[in-house]
Amino acid sequence: MMGYQGDIKRKIILFIGFIALIIIALNVLPRLSGTVSKFILPEEYEYVVEVPAKGILARDEKLYYSETDGDIYKVVKEGERVRVGQAVADVLLLEDTTNLKDELSQIENMIDFYSELENDISNSQDASDGLDFLVSNLHQQLSDEDYQGINDTRESIELQSSTIVNASEDIVDQNLSIEDLMDKRQGLLSQIAKYDREIHSNHSGLVSYKIDGWESVLNANLLSDMSIETLKEVQKLGILDETTEKKPVFKIIDDYQWYLIMEIENGFETEFELKEVLSVNILLEEESFVTLELPVVMILEENREVFYVLEGTKFIEKLYDKRFVDINVITFNEETYRIPIESLTEMGDTVGVKVKEFYGVVTFRPVEVVASDEEYAFVSKGDNNGYIKSGDGSVRTINMFSDVITDPDSVDVDEILN
């Protein structure tokens, strides 16, 4: 009986010992063989914190009107720069000027003919006697057997006859001199000009035919008198397709100075100070934006609502036709290393990671955690030599070639790994 119980007791002891041996093997053998949790190399990562905002662009925009109604023809393309005095648009009135233009063409043909004829006639010879002169000249050329001259004179006679035949009876009957024809030509040009109005620029800048109705309200020169109530109304109404007043033909935008009126979206408690320079991404189209450094030049505040006015002097050519824009204000931006959050550990009061040095020894490297999420920690790269501040001094942190151990509890500092 005692022998049977002894066997059972012995089997139980052997079983417990076997389990203990397995546990020891699972904890010791990986270290003896140098097999630990995997290593990872830090990943370079630009850590950016952005705050969304809504923006309104205010510019110095000069409106140009037409005094008369008519069809508008663009002389300058949308978005092009113009100088002072340059023709920007034509306004063609609806009246029919065909008869005036036909008469002008006849007058100009007569002027051209008589101008050429006068070159071959003595200064004392009247242009009205031109045909008689040509006939007389032809007889002389026949006597001299000047066949080339005969051919030229014949062509001149035919040209004069054709010009006079094609002219209106009133012009021929009046027997006008070149001076008279020039005066009549100028009169016709003046009459036609009444129906074709060129609009010239009185300012230099960018031309735009896109009128949204806010040019006078959101004038850069009126920002100091702008109220929160006005800006909220502008945001609410958006682009105005129709204006109550006469619609302008085009506008010229100052291409140097412009302003971005910005309101931080609800839920983001962020404040900026006067003269603070902000880094902003202004969204142009889907996945397209322009990044600018803009100073805060004015703060409008009323009933806990705040609008920041930022001044810009660059990239107006990309923003001249925008009024309402989405913005991301970059409040933090740093080049960091991204490592798994579970790789962080502590030694005393210092946060860091365990790394495997190139000769296999496990060491502890302090890190400065810039930010973190559920998966990753974003740590500082340190100064140019890879050092971060620690107390009153500085210590070396990790670099992009550090073998960071993802399971720091699986190894000890100073342990040698194969």
Side-chain angles (χ1 to χ4, degrees):
M1 188 70 178
M2 289 295 293
Y4 176 76
Q5 291 178 347
D7 289 339
I8 293 177
K9 186 175 181 180
R10 192 165 45 253
K11 289 179 180 180
I12 292 174
I13 292 172
L14 289 173
F15 178 78
I16 294 173
F18 180 74
I19 295 298
L21 184 61
I22 292 175
I23 293 174
I24 292 172
L26 290 174
N27 284 274
V28 175
L29 288 179
R31 299 192 182 189
L32 293 176
S33 63
T35 304
V36 295
S37 299
K38 65 178 182 179
F39 311 119
I40 62 99
L41 293 175
E43 177 186 357
E44 290 187 306
Y45 188 88
E46 183 182 10
Y47 187 79
V48 179
V49 178
E50 295 180 321
V51 176
K54 295 293 183 182
I56 305 172
L57 288 162
R59 299 170 286 253
D60 183 2
E61 301 170 292
K62 300 295 192 300
L63 298 173
Y64 284 72
Y65 299 84
S66 172
E67 297 178 358
T68 54
D69 294 328
D71 295 327
I72 306 298
Y73 290 87
K74 301 174 183 178
V75 178
V76 175
K77 294 180 181 179
E78 172 76 21
E80 284 190 358
R81 282 182 169 83
V82 294
R83 61 184 182 278
V84 175
Q86 186 172 341
V88 178
D90 270 340
V91 181
L92 300 184
L93 305 188
L94 303 180
E95 284 82 354
D96 187 2
T97 60
T98 302
N99 292 335
L100 292 174
K101 291 179 179 178
D102 287 345
E103 186 176 356
L104 176 63
S105 178
Q106 294 170 7
I107 292 292
E108 288 180 335
N109 286 337
M110 296 277 293
I111 291 173
D112 290 342
F113 174 77
Y114 281 125
S115 295
E116 289 184 13
L117 190 60
E118 279 192 336
N119 293 330
D120 299 326
I121 301 177
S122 169
N123 292 333
S124 62
Q125 180 71 41
D126 192 336
S128 61
D129 298 329
L131 189 57
D132 292 338
F133 169 80
L134 290 173
V135 173
S136 175
N137 195 37
L138 180 61
H139 286 299
Q140 183 63 42
Q141 289 167 339
L142 287 170
S143 299
D144 297 339
E145 297 183 352
D146 180 7
Y147 299 111
Q148 180 60 44
I150 292 171
N151 187 58
D152 293 339
T153 301
R154 181 182 58 79
E155 290 180 355
S156 296
I157 293 173
E158 290 176 353
L159 176 60
Q160 183 179 22
S161 300
S162 174
T163 301
I164 294 174
V165 169
N166 291 331
S168 65
E169 292 182 4
D170 290 340
I171 296 174
V172 175
D173 291 343
Q174 292 176 36
N175 194 27
L176 300 174
S177 66
I178 287 185
E179 289 75 13
D180 295 331
L181 291 171
M182 293 293 289
D183 290 340
K184 193 169 184 64
R185 175 181 179 276
Q186 189 59 43
L188 288 170
L189 288 174
S190 298
Q191 284 183 272
I192 294 172
K194 294 179 181 179
Y195 304 102
D196 184 0
R197 302 288 176 81
E198 274 191 344
I199 305 178
H200 294 77
S201 60
N202 295 323
H203 312 85
S204 62
L206 298 176
V207 170
S208 178
Y209 300 92
K210 300 176 182 179
I211 313 297
D212 62 15
W214 293 115
E215 286 78 10
S216 299
V217 177
L218 296 172
N219 190 295
N221 301 315
L222 303 176
L223 288 180
S224 57
D225 300 324
M226 196 73 65
S227 67
I228 296 288
E229 182 180 355
T230 299
L231 292 174
K232 299 299 287 186
E233 185 71 9
V234 171
Q235 285 182 330
K236 178 182 177 181
L237 295 178
I239 298 297
L240 300 179
D241 293 328
E242 298 291 338
T243 58
T244 55
E245 59 184 19
K246 190 173 183 180
K247 193 171 181 64
V249 177
F250 61 88
K251 61 186 177 183
I252 295 182
I253 305 165
D254 179 72
D255 59 352
Y256 173 67
Q257 199 170 41
W258 53 274
Y259 296 90
L260 175 64
I261 307 171
M262 180 184 73
E263 182 183 30
I264 300 299
E265 291 193 2
N266 293 332
F268 293 89
E269 301 295 330
T270 303
E271 295 183 0
F272 306 109
E273 298 179 356
L274 200 62
K275 297 184 180 181
E276 183 177 354
V277 177
L278 304 183
S279 180
V280 299
N281 286 333
I282 302 177
L283 305 182
L284 303 178
E285 300 172 356
E286 187 176 355
E287 298 183 357
S288 175
F289 59 87
V290 56
T291 301
L292 295 170
E293 303 290 327
L294 305 177
V296 179
V297 296
M298 194 181 306
I299 300 176
L300 305 175
E301 189 171 3
E302 184 179 315
N303 298 328
R304 301 183 67 181
E305 289 187 291
V306 181
F307 282 82
Y308 298 95
V309 181
L310 283 60
E311 183 181 34
T313 57
K314 296 179 180 179
F315 294 106
I316 184 64
E317 64 277 1
K318 293 186 177 181
L319 301 167
Y320 81 93
D321 59 344
K322 305 289 189 298
R323 183 67 73 187
F324 302 95
V325 291
D326 291 323
I327 306 166
N328 285 324
V329 184
I330 301 173
T331 58
F332 183 86
N333 186 356
E334 184 174 335
E335 294 292 338
T336 67
Y337 291 126
R338 187 171 72 171
I339 58 176
I341 192 73
E342 64 268 15
S343 64
L344 293 179
T345 187
E346 292 185 9
M347 284 191 66
D349 296 330
T350 304
V351 177
V353 294
K354 292 178 181 178
V355 301
K356 175 190 173 185
E357 301 292 353
F358 71 94
Y359 45 81
V361 175
V362 176
T363 61
F364 176 81
R365 291 283 185 89
V367 296
E368 179 185 337
V369 179
V370 172
S372 62
D373 56 27
E374 294 181 355
E375 294 185 58
Y376 296 100
F378 305 91
V379 301
S380 172
K381 288 186 173 183
D383 60 19
N384 292 335
N385 296 316
Y387 282 82
I388 60 173
K389 291 183 178 180
S390 178
D392 296 333
S394 59
V395 294
R396 184 182 294 276
T397 188
I398 61 174
N399 58 45
M400 62 186 301
F401 303 108
S402 299
D403 283 325
V404 176
I405 299 172
T406 56
D407 183 8
D409 293 334
S410 65
V411 295
D412 295 324
V413 172
D414 296 331
E415 184 176 339
I416 298 177
L417 305 177
N418 292 334

